[in-house]
Amino acid sequence: MNKIDSVIFDLGGVLIDWNPEYVFLEVFNGDREKMQWFFDNICTQDWNENQDAGYPMAKATEERIALFPEYEKEIRMFYGRWVEMLGDAINGTVAILKKLIHSKDYKVVALTNWSAETFPIALEKFDFLHWFEGIIVSGEEHTRKPFDEIYNLTLNRFNIKAENAIFIDDNLRNIEAANNLGIHGIHFKSPEQLAEVLKTFNIQL
């Protein structure tokens, strides 16, 4: 195995807890089935990821309301109450990040699917986002994971060789896309699991 000299972190679900359930479980009075139907049919993952790729949130909201006018109130909440969906740092992973950076043995960057409109809120809330050598934000680049373009952009911008890099993400789809480009992917489940898998790459924390 080539020596690992670069580590690329996803943010949401790996270092930052973000979950629309924090708002919508209350909106749907604790009815998880109704909430899931709303996520599967109205404010879907694909729809939200379109904004992560740079589509204006206000425009997307109005277009969705035109399609589902009976859900106007709930649709407006998706971005109107977005800050409430932003949870705390995932402290165990932040501790791993800190050790990697302090070791000075690795180039440490981030690659996130995140709207350029809301990312400044996260930058203000989480100090550790300023530790990275750099962050690729999908909304600023007008593309997103799992498309090859954003991985290649990350490699080129930070002068990283795919075979010398680890990419950590909680979404298996994004890991598989990275693997297809020769990047070593780790499908994140927990900080404890991440620490164990890093050992297999001879990264001792």
Side-chain angles (χ1 to χ4, degrees), residues 146 148 151 162 167 173-185:
D148 288 357
Y151 295 95
F167 173 58
R173 174 199 68 178
N174 298 337
I175 290 297
E176 290 170 345
N179 287 341
N180 288 338
L181 293 171
I183 303 167
H184 303 282

Side-chain angles (χ1 to χ4, degrees), residues 4 28 34 36 44 48 56 71 87 94 111 116 121 128 139 148 150 191:
I4 299 299
F28 289 105
K34 283 185 178 178
Q36 195 56 52
T44 65
N48 182 48
Y71 284 96
V94 174
L111 167 58
I121 298 167
F128 64 81
D148 288 357
I150 202 161

Side-chain angles (χ1 to χ4, degrees), residues 18-27 32 35-36 39 78 84-85:
W18 179 86
N19 195 331
E21 285 191 13
Y22 293 149
V23 169
F24 284 97
L25 197 56
E26 175 195 340
V27 168
R32 287 191 170 275
M35 178 186 71
Q36 195 56 52
F39 293 150
F78 197 90
E84 296 171 57
M85 303 178 196

Side-chain angles (χ1 to χ4, degrees), residues 98-145:
K98 190 172 188 177
K99 288 176 182 177
L100 288 170
I101 289 172
H102 282 186
S103 77
K104 297 188 173 17
D105 292 329
Y106 307 98
K107 183 176 293 185
V108 185
V109 302
L111 167 58
T112 183
N113 279 0
W114 204 303
S115 167
E117 295 179 65
T118 55
F119 193 63
I121 298 167
L123 278 174
E124 190 171 324
K125 181 171 181 178
F126 300 107
D127 287 344
F128 64 81
L129 292 179
H130 302 275
W131 300 351
F132 290 102
E133 185 163 324
I135 300 176
I136 298 289
V137 178
S138 61
E140 295 173 357
E141 309 298 341
H142 299 281
T143 183
R144 62 171 175 82
K145 298 175 288 185

Side-chain angles (χ1 to χ4, degrees), residues 82-95:
W82 182 89
V83 172
E84 296 171 57
M85 303 178 196
L86 193 60
D88 295 325
I90 300 172
N91 290 323
T93 319
V94 174

Side-chain angles (χ1 to χ4, degrees), residues 181-201:
L181 293 171
I183 303 167
H184 303 282
I186 297 177
H187 185 204
F188 179 85
K189 303 286 182 61
S190 71
E192 295 75 21
Q193 169 255 0
L194 174 59
E196 287 303 309
V197 178
L198 286 172
K199 288 177 186 175
T200 69
F201 290 94

